[in-house]
Amino acid sequence: METSLLLLIPTAADTQIVGMSDSDLLWRIAEVRKLIAEYRASAERLEYEVIQRAQARGAKAIITERYTAELEASVTYDQSRFTPLLEALPEEGVKDAYAPEHTEPVTYPAKWNTQKAIKWANKVGGKALNIITEARMEGAPRVKLTEKVAANGAS
């Protein structure tokens, strides 16, 4: 049996909740959670199609009269590829951006402060900047959807 999400979500005017049995209340929660998961999966499939269409067109966005869907990708860096920065950055930059492996009660692995390493690589350029560029890893694209608002406020 298919249930509409709108029938299950209480509104400010929904006074039925107070008089609802525990069984009905818990059933409603379970049904809403199930529907939310289905809606989320549906939205992910739709977003996947938007990504496929945009990439097939070599575009970073799909624009219609009402919506703009932009592809956004998160960026991370492969820190294991930063090791040559120890020689490519000046000592001051290494001290600012790098935390060597150290032991307190636990051993912490060596770690770079990515933002500071990028700042220093931009200052010194050359090899350091190449290391940063090669370490860059672009994540999977996401869809950022914005709705255009008409001049009269209607959408």
Side-chain angles (χ1 to χ4, degrees), residues 46-89:
L46 294 167
E47 288 181 8
Y48 178 80
E49 180 62 24
V50 168
I51 292 167
Q52 295 304 305
R53 289 182 186 192
Q55 288 177 338
R57 297 173 189 166
K60 297 230 182 241
I62 294 178
I63 301 169
T64 66
E65 287 182 22
R66 186 170 179 174
Y67 296 99
T68 299
E70 297 176 76
L71 299 189
E72 295 181 328
S74 61
V75 174
T76 58
Y77 290 85
D78 179 356
Q79 293 240 336
S80 68
R81 298 181 75 171
F82 277 17
T83 304
L85 286 174
L86 291 168
E87 295 176 12
L89 294 180

Side-chain angles (χ1 to χ4, degrees), residues 66 147-155:
R66 186 170 179 174
E147 185 172 8
K148 298 173 185 171
V149 179
N152 62 5
S155 52

Side-chain angles (χ1 to χ4, degrees), residues 118 146 152:
I118 290 170
T146 52
N152 62 5

